[in-house]
Amino acid sequence: MRIQCIGRSPPHARVIVPREAPVTWTATYAPALGAPVIQQRQWPTMNRPVQMSVLWFRHGLRLHDNPALLDAISGPPSMFFPIFIFDGESAGTKVIGFNRMRFLLESLADLDRQLRSRGGRLWLLRGDPSKIFQRLWEELALTKVCFEQDCEPIWNERDQSVRATCAERGVRCEEFVSHTLWDPKAVIYANGGLPPLTYQMFLHTVSTLGEPPRPVEDPDWTGVTFGTLPPRLVKEFQVFDEVPKPEYFGLSQPGYGLVRWIGGETRALQHLRERLTQEEQAFRKGIILPNQSRPDLLGPPTSQSAALRYGCLSVRRFYWNLHDLFNAVSQGDPPAGLNISGQLIWREYFYTMSVYNPHYAEMSANPICLDVPWDKNPTFLEKWKKGQTGFPFIDAAMRQLVSEGWIHHVARNSVACFLTRGDLWISWEDGLAFFLEHLIDADWSVCAGNWMWVSSSAFEQLLDCSKCLCPVNYGRRLDPWGEYIKRYVPELRNLPVEYLYEPWKAPLDVQRDAGCIIGDHYPERIVDHQRASNQNRQVFQLIEGFNNNDFNIK
């Protein structure tokens, strides 16, 4: 017999009879009498263990390099419950579009398949995490909850509530850093307790911390016993029998994209192998970051950004695979530096900048962001969202974003600059909200950081409007033959290539021959880029002048 006493006022004592017994007896203290009142609770199995451990998936939707998983299945024999809770917020489900939700659900389905192949399953519950863990403690003697750190401040309230619930009941609550290369809080501590306001300062700070940890070993499933929820809790928690479809959450597919992104650890590891082959070929040619130096707007869906966002792929495995590969190719001369994995390091930077800033995704309340007097223009904003600006390269990117849930980073920079300081002078907050709904790899910190950067609202780019991406010339340089436009703006596909990026210049007879009359089949451009960008530059220069004279525009 094992006796656990969970301290609380008034005290509760939980008495668990030996494993062969078919029932659990719970003793609670009646305040007036000071004596235990015995209640009997039925348990559907003859073999109830004393321990119950939970791995709470939020991000980190993988089995490899998962220290929370290793801890959950370690220690004394226990029933192991891997769970995901649909609470309306976790994994970015508060504001979410069809493609984002589908990628998440496919990632959960992949986890479920892998766990079922090992004799278990992924329990998909609905409700408030704190209340669920309280009920698991009451009914099944929950002893340990393990999870990966969600370092962004938007998750603080949820996690603090869970920690308090567990602490009150003597349940171990274990958090592990594995969604980032370094613990963002440790980076800030190393920088004297302040966030490193520039990227170069961040690089210096992490250099003092040393290399990020290598991935942990894969789990050993020998001896792991998967638990089963009793029917009463299955009903109470509204457990899904199978992973639902996006339509269950009231989401409908926004057209049919030509490229299909599939979520899950299995696909992510497959893409990693393919990516490493490409990287090795580039390394042998003396090229690093080939996806940036030679962007492929029409390439297959091999980017790892969405897999990293949901944790289907370990960022530490990606980082060390790249660095080990480079060192193998170069034979350590020169050794791999952080430039080999530049995009991963920028990801770390934005996470670090947000960790103690709950207003990071806002403008006015954000201490690191400039207050810019952006315009309110609902008509222009809606045309931008729908890919109806009259600039084919911008419209192609926006239509791809909505239909497929992903666009290349060069296209992201183009549409973000166009919306903000380049042309429309609309707040980056509006762009961020749209990206967070539709972009499958958008997370709160990195996406907000990129929007502030491109709009020259923060970081090194503060008030830098010296260069604006031209929606005509930039697109033409990336895709001289306009194949990207022909794919996503099909009404223009019959125009001669010299007019694809500036269809308003096509003579009327050329428009008729192409079956596309500008202003009828395709919209007129909503602004003159040269005039708009010059005007916006002047406004930024005016704001800069105010700042130089200590004018507080906050």
Side-chain angles (χ1 to χ4, degrees):
M1 177 180 291
R2 174 173 175 168
I3 298 177
Q4 280 187 297
C5 292
I6 312 300
R8 193 164 63 175
S9 180
H12 284 56
R14 178 174 292 270
V15 182
I16 300 178
V17 294
R19 297 181 60 147
E20 64 273 10
V23 296
T24 295
W25 298 90
T26 301
T28 60
Y29 283 84
L33 303 177
V37 177
I38 305 298
Q39 299 173 338
Q40 180 178 348
R41 293 183 179 173
Q42 297 298 323
W43 177 252
T45 178
M46 297 290 289
N47 296 309
R48 183 186 182 195
V50 174
Q51 303 283 334
M52 176 195 177
S53 69
V54 163
L55 174 59
W56 179 23
F57 284 103
R58 300 99 65 85
H59 296 104
L61 304 180
R62 64 182 183 275
L63 302 183
H64 75 275
D65 188 26
N66 193 328
L69 167 60
L70 297 186
D71 191 77
I73 62 177
S74 67
S78 64
M79 282 291 187
F80 172 54
F81 289 81
I83 70 171
F84 181 90
I85 302 174
F86 287 95
D87 59 0
E89 292 187 353
S90 293
T93 53
K94 186 174 183 179
V95 178
I96 192 168
F98 180 90
N99 288 307
R100 278 172 62 84
M101 180 61 85
R102 181 171 63 183
F103 193 94
L104 168 62
L105 296 175
E106 288 172 347
S107 301
L108 296 174
D110 182 70
L111 261 184
D112 185 53
R113 283 191 297 270
Q114 294 189 70
L115 291 168
R116 287 181 186 273
S117 72
R118 294 165 171 84
R121 63 172 289 185
L122 177 64
W123 293 92
L124 301 174
L125 318 179
R126 281 171 278 188
D128 176 77
S130 292
K131 293 178 180 178
I132 287 175
F133 292 132
Q134 176 181 335
R135 293 290 293 125
L136 290 175
W137 174 78
E138 292 170 347
E139 296 286 340
L140 306 183
L142 173 65
T143 54
K144 181 167 63 172
V145 178
C146 302
F147 51 86
E148 180 182 75
Q149 180 196 67
D150 277 346
C151 62
E152 296 165 313
I154 55 175
W155 311 118
N156 285 349
E157 183 178 353
R158 176 201 63 187
D159 290 353
Q160 288 169 1
S161 176
V162 167
R163 291 189 189 97
T165 297
C166 290
E168 289 174 3
R169 291 156 181 82
V171 176
R172 285 179 54 200
C173 198
E174 305 289 351
E175 178 183 86
F176 296 86
V177 176
S178 55
H179 189 65
T180 52
L181 293 172
W182 296 275
D183 182 350
K185 296 176 183 179
V187 176
I188 290 176
Y189 180 81
N191 194 53
L194 298 173
L197 291 178
T198 69
Y199 183 65
Q200 290 303 318
M201 187 183 299
F202 174 80
L203 293 180
H204 170 73
T205 303
V206 296
S207 71
T208 66
L209 297 176
E211 294 279 15
R214 284 188 174 268
V216 299
E217 67 274 12
D218 289 340
D220 179 2
W221 298 98
T222 305
V224 174
T225 303
F226 289 89
T228 301
L229 291 177
R232 64 183 178 278
L233 291 184
V234 169
K235 181 178 180 180
E236 180 180 337
F237 297 156
Q238 304 178 67
V239 174
F240 287 98
D241 292 331
E242 58 183 10
V243 179
K245 302 297 183 184
E247 289 81 1
Y248 173 86
F249 299 94
L251 301 171
S252 56
Q253 190 165 356
Y256 292 91
L258 299 175
V259 175
R260 173 79 160 82
W261 293 82
I262 299 175
E265 179 182 20
T266 302
R267 184 59 64 96
L269 292 176
Q270 174 189 333
H271 283 169
L272 176 62
R273 291 189 291 270
E274 296 168 355
R275 174 69 175 270
L276 293 174
T277 299
Q278 297 170 359
E279 294 282 349
E280 181 178 6
Q281 294 172 352
F283 289 161
R284 294 191 182 281
K285 297 176 182 177
I287 299 171
I288 62 172
L289 303 175
N291 63 325
Q292 293 188 51
S293 59
R294 300 177 181 179
D296 184 1
L297 297 173
L298 298 172
T302 58
S303 170
Q304 296 286 24
S305 55
L308 291 170
R309 184 257 179 271
Y310 287 104
C312 304
L313 174 66
S314 158
V315 66
R316 300 190 298 199
R317 174 172 286 194
F318 194 15
Y319 173 93
W320 281 110
N321 279 176
L322 284 175
H323 283 240
D324 289 344
L325 176 62
F326 182 86
N327 285 330
V329 171
S330 69
Q331 297 183 349
D333 186 22
L338 295 182
N339 60 326
I340 300 299
S341 49
Q343 288 178 304
L344 299 183
I345 307 305
W346 275 104
R347 174 180 183 267
E348 295 289 310
Y349 175 52
F350 288 139
Y351 273 128
T352 301
M353 290 302 299
S354 75
V355 69
Y356 290 128
N357 184 358
H359 302 291
Y360 184 74
E362 307 169 29
M363 181 178 71
S364 295
N366 187 348
I368 70 167
C369 182
L370 187 71
D371 248 350
V372 176
W374 303 108
D375 286 344
K376 294 286 186 182
N377 194 323
T379 300
F380 280 8
L381 178 61
E382 197 63 22
K383 288 181 179 292
W384 176 81
K385 291 179 178 180
K386 293 181 176 179
Q388 295 288 335
T389 68
F391 288 89
F393 184 69
I394 300 298
D395 293 342
M398 294 305 296
R399 295 183 193 187
Q400 182 191 17
L401 167 62
V402 173
S403 63
E404 298 175 4
W406 189 87
I407 50 177
H408 197 283
H409 76 274
V410 295
R412 301 180 195 200
N413 290 343
S414 298
V415 300
C417 186
F418 184 86
L419 180 70
T420 57
R421 64 184 175 87
D423 293 82
L424 302 187
W425 199 253
I426 292 175
S427 175
W428 62 269
E429 293 171 292
D430 294 314
L432 170 64
F434 195 71
F435 270 32
L436 287 176
E437 180 179 358
H438 294 284
L439 196 61
I440 60 175
D441 61 5
D443 60 13
W444 188 80
S445 294
V446 180
C447 200
N450 277 314
W451 272 99
M452 283 188 279
W453 178 275
V454 174
S455 66
S456 293
S457 297
F459 313 116
E460 288 97 324
Q461 288 294 100
L462 186 65
L463 289 172
D464 182 5
C465 206
S466 58
K467 294 182 181 179
C468 290
L469 295 179
C470 175
V472 174
N473 295 335
Y474 188 64
R476 184 175 279 145
R477 190 173 83 238
L478 293 169
D479 180 27
W481 297 102
E483 297 300 325
Y484 184 63
I485 291 174
K486 292 176 183 178
R487 174 183 287 188
Y488 293 104
V489 191
E491 58 266 43
L492 297 176
R493 65 163 56 108
N494 293 325
L495 274 179
V497 67
E498 60 264 33
Y499 298 117
L500 267 178
Y501 287 92
E502 300 172 284
W504 57 88
K505 289 186 177 181
L508 188 57
D509 59 329
V510 173
Q511 297 179 35
R512 290 197 185 100
D513 290 344
C516 181
I517 304 300
I518 305 305
D520 186 2
H521 304 108
Y522 181 73
E524 294 277 4
R525 54 182 174 159
I526 59 178
V527 294
D528 180 290
H529 168 69
Q530 195 63 44
R531 186 181 300 116
S533 62
N534 286 338
Q535 179 179 332
N536 296 345
R537 185 179 298 109
Q538 292 172 9
V539 175
F540 258 12
Q541 290 171 349
L542 181 62
I543 295 173
E544 186 176 21
F546 284 149
N547 275 5
N548 290 338
N549 287 285
D550 294 325
F551 180 81
N552 184 7
I553 62 172
K554 275 285 188 188

